[in-house]
Amino acid sequence: MITPVLPTYARADLEFERGEGPYLITAKGERYLDFGAGIAVNAFGHAHPRLVAALTEQAQKVWHTSNIYRIPGQEKLARMLVEATFADTVFFTNSGAEALECAIKMARKYHAAGGAPERYELITMEGAFHGRTLATIAAGGQKKYLEGFGPAMLGFPQVPFGDLKALEAAIGPATAGILIEPIQGEGGIRVIPNEMLRAIRALCDEKGILLVLDEVQTGVGRTGKLFAHELAGIAPDIMGVAKALGGGFPVGACLATEAAARGMVAGTHGSTFGGNPLAMAVASAVMEMALDENFLPHVNMLGLKLRQKLAMLADQYPRVIEAVRGEGLMLGIKCRITNTDLVAALREEKMLTVGAGDNVVRLLPPLNIEEGHLDEAMEKLGRACAKLDAGLADEAALAGAKS
Ligand SMILES: *Cc1c(COP(=O)(O)O)cnc(C)c1O
């Protein structure tokens, strides 16, 4: 019999009653060190007093009005985002997929408004993930997400990951732009090198097409920069943001330059809940903390330390870990064993991580963790790797005994 909750998720049999900083706590009081952070969402951990206050204060005033009226919280947060980034304007959404929907529509409308409606294609890279709506599964191009849902939406040609030549060759008279994640998250913490991002930016300028970045997972400090494209010293024309923006409250945003947004006039796009006062209050508090001068240096310092420690672990357990990659506190452990075995072994150590494509385990801790939490994580990782490594030794011995 089907469960009352539609069974679309392969969930771990684990539930939490409350959270406290980087810990999630079960009803029995077991404390799990959360190095998944709701998949890069809880950037300031759980139940951060400042975010709790922002939400509850707004909850006393007004929850929802409508985009029929001005929403002061939107104007405040949009100003903050515009001042802190390349963007001149922002559309607020409830999720990452919706931020990408807006980005896709905007890129198409840009060319239509410029008299070239035939330019509607966004070229993407294999391994991409942009969400689960019909447009974003077409953009992601992954068979497992497209299958059975009818013909995929047109307009998302795909090239192999990191193949600049193929990317250039794919640009034609129907191209509206290039849509990529600076670091693929679901795809397995696959980093687009800075030189390549710069070359892609130059290619877009040369061809008169738009660079659309999906920074839903990389954004709001995760990589040690406010947004990952800053690592390469370039800027997109349009950018989707979500996950960490609300620190756990659902909110997304599509940021754009004035030029890229030229077609998005009154009536072209909308959302009932997008930019809701509750979401704006929390996201404004998140941005204030992310813009604190000590925040990004902290992420960078801890990111470097964690990476060094993980490199040592990889040296110690070469049969378990193949490589460590990523930026800031968006790190991936590329496994030699099955990645889900490491996720499960860590869960037994009461540490939460997230699997990804390319046999990777993602470490995405809250960005405000302290060094002590890194030490705790490394102890748990060490024990999990030792167990898995011992398992491999047993298997080898068994195979030896049989032959
Ligand atoms: C999570 C994610 C999305 C989708 O966000 P939802 O809020 O689940 O719709 C899109 N792009 C990237 C890169 C993501 O990591």
Side-chain angles (χ1 to χ4, degrees), residues 95-98 100 129-132 181 185-186 214 216-217 242-243:
S95 68
E98 285 172 280
L100 267 293
F129 182 80
H130 300 297
R132 299 294 203 106
E181 298 152 80
E186 309 299 306
D214 181 344
V216 168
Q217 193 161 150
K243 291 203 163 87

Side-chain angles (χ1 to χ4, degrees), residues 124 130-131 133-142 146 152-158:
T124 66
H130 300 297
T133 61
L134 286 166
T136 54
I137 56 174
Q142 298 205 36
L146 283 161
M153 179 181 286
L154 288 175
F156 300 101
Q158 198 162 61

Side-chain angles (χ1 to χ4, degrees), residues 327-341:
E327 291 286 348
L329 286 172
M330 183 176 189
L331 294 174
I333 300 173
K334 165 99 170 142
C335 297
R336 283 232 162 77
I337 49 137
T338 308
N339 61 345
T340 47
D341 289 348

Side-chain angles (χ1 to χ4, degrees), residues 295-345:
F295 173 67
L296 291 175
H298 177 81
V299 176
N300 276 310
M301 185 194 61
L302 287 201
L304 282 174
K305 288 202 165 146
L306 181 55
R307 213 197 160 109
Q308 277 168 359
K309 290 174 197 282
L310 290 171
M312 281 161 62
L313 189 72
D315 286 344
Q316 204 179 344
Y317 297 105
R319 293 191 302 181
V320 178
I321 300 176
E322 186 181 321
V324 177
R325 63 200 190 197
E327 291 286 348
L329 286 172
M330 183 176 189
L331 294 174
I333 300 173
K334 165 99 170 142
C335 297
R336 283 232 162 77
I337 49 137
T338 308
N339 61 345
T340 47
D341 289 348
L342 180 53
V343 172

Side-chain angles (χ1 to χ4, degrees), residues 15-32:
E15 59 184 67
F16 301 101
E17 190 179 61
R18 62 202 170 87
E20 220 178 77
Y23 296 97
L24 277 171
I25 302 156
T26 66
K28 282 189 212 147
E30 296 165 315
R31 294 166 73 84
Y32 283 74

Side-chain angles (χ1 to χ4, degrees), residues 2-12 132 144-145 149:
I2 195 164
T3 48
V5 176
L6 191 73
T8 56
Y9 300 103
R11 299 173 193 267
R132 299 294 203 106
K144 61 178 178 183
Y145 296 145
F149 296 119

